[in-house]
Amino acid sequence: MTKLALLGAGGKMGVRLSLNLAKTDFEVSHVEVSEAGRTRLKDAVGVDCVDQQEALDGAEVVVLAVPDTLIGKVASGIVPVLKPGTMVVILDAAAPYAGHLPERADITYFVTHPCHPAIYHNEPTEAARLDRFGGVAHPQGVVNALMQGPEEHYALGDRVAKAIYAPVRQTYRVTVEQLAYLEPGLSETVCASLLVVMKQAMDECVKQGISEECAKDFLLGHMNILGAVIFGVQEGQFSDACNKAIEFGIPALMKDDWKRVFDQQEIMDSIKRIT
């Protein structure tokens, strides 16, 4: 059995990971600093936490289920005491890409992040359809990066990723920098921002006397079919009127240089703002 230490086990993400790890053959030691978190973990998973040093002693894998803002501090406290060859798993590219991990050549750093369940799917069960975050019943994609360490360690990191984010449909291998382009670049800076703008646009329609129920039904329905055609999920063509609206709408909504959010420096600046 592979010995795995899970730090931050009583947090929201930590509990999710603990529930999935309980179904595997990993030998898991749970670490949680807060009393509320330890209680939450016990109630949800039925396991007790152990002292951090006990968890790290002999650990082959250490998973950091802690906020981005604490990754550097937590990693600096544990990496010096780990045995050579230990794998440290980080759940987001922000802190690693920003340089917050301590330097130690004989430690493996592995970064992994879920894609979350796709909007377009054919899942037959209600549990899968309602699993919008992932890690419960809806198979999702996972993105992995072996930041440093021997190539043979990738297989172990991939196995950990498939365990903590289960059920997993597919894993993708990228670099840490490429993962940073996906998040925060693509998923948060672009996608989340534009979705907030769409919600604000819906609210403007409600101000015109349209019921919120009607406006939401209309918007989400159009997001469904428009998105299916734009992303190639379904064959189709937009009407001339729709194409004309897009032609005039994009320059009205977007600055000419909006793609600068994907400049390397802007990605780094975005990460620094959240770490």
Side-chain angles (χ1 to χ4, degrees):
M1 297 176 67
T2 302
K3 184 174 181 181
L4 183 150
L6 177 61
L7 276 59
K12 183 177 180 180
M13 194 64 188
V15 170
R16 286 179 175 272
L17 270 54
S18 296
L19 285 167
N20 275 344
L21 285 167
K23 305 170 187 175
T24 71
D25 60 357
F26 285 100
E27 180 186 347
V28 183
S29 296
H30 303 80
V31 179
E32 172 57 49
V33 297
S34 73
E35 184 61 38
R38 290 192 289 268
T39 300
R40 186 184 307 115
L41 182 68
K42 180 68 172 180
D43 292 342
V45 191
V47 297
D48 294 309
C49 290
V50 300
D51 177 75
Q52 178 171 292
Q53 188 52 53
E54 178 183 345
L56 297 178
D57 185 24
E60 299 167 73
V61 178
V62 180
V63 178
L64 303 184
V66 299
D68 288 335
T69 53
L70 297 178
I71 289 289
K73 179 180 179 180
V74 173
S76 295
I78 67 166
V79 168
V81 303
L82 299 177
K83 66 179 183 179
T86 302
M87 174 179 288
V88 178
V89 177
I90 305 95
L91 308 181
D92 191 279
Y97 190 58
H100 294 322
L101 299 179
E103 293 187 14
R104 183 175 167 186
D106 61 353
I107 291 295
T108 294
Y109 285 133
F110 190 89
V111 187
T112 180
H113 194 79
C115 294
H116 303 297
I119 293 175
Y120 302 106
H121 60 82
N122 295 303
E123 294 304 314
T125 67
E126 183 177 18
R129 291 192 294 272
L130 295 178
D131 180 18
R132 298 185 177 94
F133 185 89
V136 178
H138 190 141
Q140 63 180 327
V142 174
V143 183
N144 296 329
L146 180 63
M147 182 175 182
Q148 73 171 47
E151 176 60 28
E152 56 266 26
H153 277 194
Y154 181 83
L156 173 59
D158 190 67
R159 183 160 66 92
V160 172
K162 289 176 178 176
I164 61 178
Y165 296 132
V168 172
R169 170 176 46 80
Q170 182 175 353
T171 59
Y172 305 92
R173 184 170 182 176
V174 299
T175 66
V176 173
E177 181 178 33
Q178 288 170 335
L179 184 48
Y181 276 85
L182 293 174
E183 182 160 310
L186 180 62
S187 63
E188 296 173 343
T189 304
V190 176
C191 182
S193 297
L194 293 180
L195 287 170
V196 169
V197 169
M198 284 192 278
K199 171 60 165 60
Q200 293 172 347
M202 187 195 83
D203 293 340
E204 290 301 309
C205 291
V206 173
K207 290 179 182 178
Q208 302 306 312
I210 302 170
S211 72
E212 182 174 350
E213 181 181 8
C214 172
K216 182 182 293 185
D217 200 1
F218 199 83
L219 175 60
L220 295 181
H222 278 75
M223 285 173 63
N224 187 19
I225 181 56
L226 293 174
V229 173
I230 290 170
F231 286 96
V233 177
Q234 177 174 320
E235 291 187 7
Q237 292 184 341
F238 294 157
S239 66
D240 291 342
C242 182
N243 285 326
K244 186 63 68 174
I246 294 171
E247 179 184 347
F248 283 86
I250 290 178
L253 295 169
M254 309 295 290
K255 295 181 179 179
D256 291 340
D257 65 343
W258 73 266
K259 291 182 182 179
R260 66 181 177 81
V261 299
F262 288 107
D263 290 347
Q264 186 179 43
Q265 186 58 53
E266 179 55 35
I267 292 290
M268 178 60 76
D269 291 343
S270 177
I271 285 176
K272 288 181 178 178
R273 288 192 290 267
I274 63 177
T275 59

